[in-house]
Structures are given as C-alpha cells and as structure tokens.
Amino acid sequence: MEHRVVGPGPYRATRLWNETVELFRARMPLRKHRCRFKSYEHCFTASEAVDWLHELLRNSQNFGPEVTRKQTVQLLRKFLKNHVIEDIKGKWGQEDFEDNRHLYRFPPSSPLKPYPKKPLYQRDNSEMWFKRHSIAIGEVPACRLKILEELPHWVLSAMKCLANWPNCTDWKQPMYLGFEKDVFKTIADYYGHLTEPLLTFHLFDAFVSVLGLLPKEKMAIEAFQICCLLLPPENRRKLQLLMRMMARICLNKDMPPLCDGFGTRTLMVQTFSRCILCSKDEVDLDELLAARLVTFLMDNYQEILKVPLALQTSIEERVAHLRRVQIKYPGADMDTTLSAPSFCRQISPEEFEYQRAYGSQQPLAALLEEVIADDKLSSKEKKKKLKQGNPCSS
C-alpha cells in the first residue's frame, strides 16, 4: 500500500487528488456484505473505508502521520460528493458520509479532476532565479495582495499570555479555572474570522507546490523562505507570532489540556491550519495540505521566516559596491555617485570635435588661472609652470 510521492510543480493539489483517487480505487479491499437480508458483492462499509484510507494517508509522504480520522472522514465525504464512491443504492452527490456500517461501492468509473487551464505567465530576464526556484514553487503570479492590519493589542496580549504560561506578566485580568481555554478560544476566534489566510489566496498554489519538497528538508526550507518573502509584512509578522505561540504551547509541560479528546499538537494544527492556508476556490484536499504545511512550519518556523542567506549576502555585496563607487571631489559641496557604465553610446562627428576642443581646454585654462593667482609661488616658478602647462609655447 504505497502512495507515490507527488513532487513540486503547478497543479500539485489536483495531481494529489487524482493520485489518491486512483490508489483508493485500485487497493481498497472489496468483499461481500449483507444488509437487511440482502447480499451485496464488491462493496465495503464506511468504517472499513475510513480505516484503510486513514492508514494510507498517515503512511504517505505527501500527507504524513498528523492526518486524523476526522480529516479522513471529511475526505470521504468529498469522494461521495464527487462520485468517487456511491452508496449501495447508487446515491451520491451529498456530503452525508459517516463513520458507520453503511455500505458503499465504486461506480464503474471515477472521474479524475482535469488540470485548470491557466495562461502561462511570461518570464522576465531573471532566468537564474526562475531556474533555481520554479521547480519548487511553480508559476508565481504577480503579487497584488491586500495589506492586512496589525494585530489588535488584546489579541497580542492573549498570545503572549499562552506563549509564556503560567508566567503571564502582562495579563492584568483575574484568572480562574479554565481561564487558559477561554484565552485560547479568543485567539482562535480572531484568526478564524480573518478575511484571507495568512499565506494569502494568491499564493496558495505556490505553497502547495513547495510541499512536494518536504522529503528534501533543506531545499523545502529554502523554497518556503522565498515564498514567505512574497507575503505582505503584516502577514509575515502575524504568521511569526502565531507559529511561535503554537510551538511554545506544544513544548510547555505546565500547560493544562486546552481541549478534551485532542492532544495539544493536534489541536494547534486543526485550529489554525485553515487560517494559515486555504484556497479561495474549493479544493478537495486543502484541509490535509494545510495540516501538512502547518506541521512543517511549526517545526521549522524560525529558519523559514529568516531572510535566505544567499539573498542577504547578495544584498550586502550590492550595498558595499554602491558605497565603493561614491567619490567625493575636493571642494565639491555634495557627493557624486558614479554608477557603473552599462554600454558605450555612439556620438556624432560634430560632438566629438566639440569635446576634443573644449573638453580638455576648459580644465587646463582653470588650472593656469590657479597658478597665476597663487601668491605663494615666485614669478620664476609661475613662468616655469605656465610653460609646462602650455604646450604651444615650446
């Protein structure tokens, strides 16, 4: 029961859906079942499907062990809605799948999702950047993103309270039994009502594509760094604060359980994954993909939200170059910045003659005037310098 690794590139969510559907149809065990004194061949119960698919997703490098049984049920509901499966009477189209003994079967054919038809984005002259990162993040459209406001003070205080629990020095309200649960609910409500996820609708395909690099952790971190640089500064700040809080809560042994029936790590991923990554259009695997991404972000957020070392070095070298080419001439009132010439410009013969006649004569005349006006030189020294500066006198 192996799930082929779906690598990075455009339309990765669609490719993952098709791969999962094909594998589910090919490997899901089918057998004879009885229901209400009637036998049905080549079918399976809902619970059998949940068991098998849950095990498949947990062992897949595309999704990982963080996948929950509830998420598996949600995926099977989408399978039923899209006619990947149907009930034993041939009904489908509704998301009423439950984890029970109800019988289901495969239709004669399960429709695979077609790849979206999008116009190819024109590449600019930055071919080196494209070759390095396009395989990882696919085509990245121009970023026209809505700038989100800063975190409200009360949300920031609540996040600091849980991140530093039980040492909530900034929190002035009285605490009570279950206080930490109410604070967590306050934070979850704020992030849950954002009009756009922190990674933005615009960059959904780019981040999903990078998920294909997770088996190569170092390369995935570098690609995530590049993608996060495309985010608005307010989004990066909110993401950084949220990831730091989530990581600290998971590592805090003094933190009481925030929800009955869920581990702390699972609760963090399920609560905040959709406010971090989701698609504006319905994508059938977005919950699983978001959970996979948030898990990786939570473990590596400190490295991912740094500026890439190669980019930082390149910028420092460019700034150092600009500083070197700033030349201050004696007697000048301001600095003159000389940029490196990019090409030679052809001039007309008349302009050449003018530059030859006046380009050197004017500075030379100014120099002779300085020699004549210099009171420190004797008459003999002035005559000598004037003769050196006037080639026509020899």
Side-chain angles (χ1 to χ4, degrees), residues 225-262:
Q225 286 177 332
I226 297 296
C227 286
C228 287
L229 288 177
L230 302 176
L231 297 172
E234 290 80 2
N235 289 44
R236 282 176 57 88
R237 179 60 175 163
K238 288 182 180 180
L239 181 65
Q240 183 182 33
L241 292 173
L242 181 59
M243 288 292 106
R244 182 189 301 171
M245 183 200 72
M246 293 167 63
R248 287 188 177 183
I249 290 176
C250 290
L251 296 175
N252 190 352
K253 297 181 180 179
D254 296 328
M255 176 65 71
L258 296 174
C259 181
D260 298 334
F262 285 98

Side-chain angles (χ1 to χ4, degrees), residues 12-28:
R12 185 171 184 268
T14 301
R15 289 187 286 134
L16 274 172
W17 170 272
N18 291 341
E19 172 73 14
T20 305
V21 168
E22 289 178 341
L23 196 56
F24 183 53
R25 280 183 61 90
R27 302 289 183 84
M28 175 65 202

Side-chain angles (χ1 to χ4, degrees), residues 125-386:
N125 293 329
S126 304
E127 287 295 330
M128 293 301 296
W129 189 96
F130 183 83
K131 290 178 181 178
R132 183 177 181 84
H133 299 290
S134 62
I135 296 178
I137 64 177
E139 298 281 0
V140 180
C143 296
R144 298 176 181 175
L145 305 176
K146 180 181 178 181
I147 302 299
L148 300 179
E149 59 183 9
E150 292 284 354
L151 275 174
H153 175 73
W154 54 272
V155 177
L156 189 59
S157 298
M159 294 177 71
K160 286 182 179 180
C161 177
L162 290 188
N164 299 305
W165 185 272
N167 303 315
C168 307
T169 56
D170 294 340
W171 195 266
K172 299 179 182 180
Q173 302 297 327
M175 296 187 183
Y176 49 85
L177 185 64
F179 172 80
E180 67 285 347
K181 294 182 180 180
D182 289 342
V183 175
F184 179 75
K185 185 177 184 299
T186 299
I187 300 170
D189 286 344
Y190 171 78
Y191 277 95
H193 286 86
L194 292 178
T195 57
E196 187 175 22
L198 295 179
L199 301 185
T200 72
F201 292 134
H202 206 65
L203 295 174
F204 174 82
D205 290 334
F207 279 100
V208 168
S209 183
V210 176
L211 285 174
L213 292 174
L214 292 192
K216 302 177 181 179
E217 183 174 321
K218 185 176 179 180
M219 189 180 297
I221 290 176
E222 182 180 357
F224 275 127
Q225 286 177 332
I226 297 296
C227 286
C228 287
L229 288 177
L230 302 176
L231 297 172
E234 290 80 2
N235 289 44
R236 282 176 57 88
R237 179 60 175 163
K238 288 182 180 180
L239 181 65
Q240 183 182 33
L241 292 173
L242 181 59
M243 288 292 106
R244 182 189 301 171
M245 183 200 72
M246 293 167 63
R248 287 188 177 183
I249 290 176
C250 290
L251 296 175
N252 190 352
K253 297 181 180 179
D254 296 328
M255 176 65 71
L258 296 174
C259 181
D260 298 334
F262 285 98
T264 302
R265 185 179 176 89
T266 301
L267 177 64
M268 294 296 113
V269 174
Q270 289 196 1
T271 302
F272 296 108
S273 59
R274 189 162 182 83
C275 73
I276 294 175
L277 178 74
C278 70
S279 174
K280 189 173 184 179
D281 303 319
E282 183 179 359
V283 176
D284 292 308
L285 291 175
D286 57 356
E287 294 93 347
L288 295 176
L289 296 174
R292 179 68 164 150
L293 181 141
V294 170
T295 301
F296 188 79
L297 277 180
M298 197 160 51
D299 294 336
N300 301 277
Y301 76 95
Q302 291 180 323
E303 189 71 20
I304 289 173
L305 293 175
K306 287 181 179 178
V307 177
L309 182 59
L311 178 61
Q312 183 176 348
T313 303
S314 176
I315 293 175
E316 290 174 350
E317 291 176 352
R318 178 60 179 167
V319 172
H321 169 72
L322 293 177
R323 288 176 177 173
R324 284 195 301 269
V325 299
Q326 288 181 348
I327 303 174
K328 187 174 182 180
Y329 294 96
D333 295 334
M334 58 183 297
D335 291 344
T336 303
T337 302
L338 301 178
S339 59
S342 57
F343 58 88
C344 296
R345 180 175 64 88
Q346 185 176 3
I347 62 176
S348 64
E350 293 78 9
E351 188 176 355
F352 171 75
E353 292 297 334
Y354 177 84
Q355 291 183 5
R356 185 178 67 171
Y358 297 100
S360 59
Q361 293 297 324
Q362 290 179 354
L364 182 58
L367 179 62
L368 295 178
E369 289 290 339
E370 289 183 6
V371 172
I372 295 172
D374 194 349
D375 296 335
K376 296 181 181 180
L377 296 177
S378 63
S379 299
K380 185 177 180 180
E381 289 175 331
K382 288 182 179 181
K383 291 180 180 179
K384 183 178 180 181
K385 289 185 176 294
L386 290 173

